[in-house]
Amino acid sequence: MGKIWVFNGPNLNLLGLREPEHYGSSTLAEIDQEMLRLTNEAGISAECRQTNHEGVLLDWIQALTPADFLILNPGAWTHTSYALRDAISAVRVPTIEVHLSNIHAREAFRANSMIAPVCIGQISGLGAESYELAMRYAIKHQVRNSKP
Ligand code: DQA
């Protein structure tokens, strides 16, 4: 069975301090901890990472395989990065796009996601629970796909 990866893009290291009216009060460390609790409970290996450098995120995605699963909050790159979309598409890694805030209820530029068309789905606006729901799906997906 592949691994479940949780990748976070720019400024998400500031969660807890950053605009709590949009992003809530949980820190990224707390979210990561909950992700690993869920995967440990299911006996699936997982890893959480964050970067403020787009090329680093592209390198991480290129290293994935179709047997892996990706939960991705690309931060503002959601709205700008054709390269990110192409990387997900190239690797064919099943991906869920997550956002803490509801990107459809904010500034117009946020409503547009470059990666949504190459993701299984998008979970947006449920705060830290966006990640939790994505992880519950990812675990089911991995268990289902590991059966002979
Ligand atoms: C975000 C939404 C993006 O528009 C924003 O640039 C972020 C965080 C979210 O989780 O709500 O950095 O991805």
Side-chain angles (χ1 to χ4, degrees), residues 9 19 49-50 67 74 77-78 80 92 105 120 129 133 143 148:
E19 300 177 89
R49 296 178 176 173
Q50 186 275 333
W77 295 329
T78 307
T80 60
R92 299 182 187 279
I120 294 175
E129 282 179 60
L133 293 172
V143 168

Side-chain angles (χ1 to χ4, degrees), residues 8-12 15 18-19 22-23 72-79 97-103 106-107 109-112 123-125 127 130-131:
N8 282 281
N11 303 311
L12 291 163
L15 286 182
R18 178 188 180 205
E19 300 177 89
H22 288 304
Y23 303 121
L72 176 62
N73 184 347
W77 295 329
T78 307
H79 320 298
E97 173 186 352
V98 299
H99 301 284
L100 295 135
S101 64
N102 180 352
I103 60 170
R106 299 182 61 194
E107 299 95 328
F109 77 87
R110 292 188 203 275
N112 204 14
I123 303 176
S124 174
S130 293
Y131 288 83

Side-chain angles (χ1 to χ4, degrees), residues 1 9 17 22 30 37 42 57-58 64 68 70 73 78 80 82 84 87 95 101 130 132 140 143-144 146:
M1 190 191 292
L17 300 171
H22 288 304
E30 289 165 346
R37 191 187 68 75
L57 179 60
L58 296 175
L64 303 181
D68 291 326
L70 176 60
N73 184 347
T78 307
T80 60
Y82 296 128
L84 188 54
T95 302
S101 64
S130 293
E132 195 183 313
K140 281 189 187 169
V143 168
R144 207 184 298 137
S146 72

Side-chain angles (χ1 to χ4, degrees), residues 53-66:
H53 305 277
E54 189 174 348
V56 169
L57 179 60
L58 296 175
D59 287 344
W60 289 347
I61 292 174
Q62 286 186 16
L64 303 181
T65 75

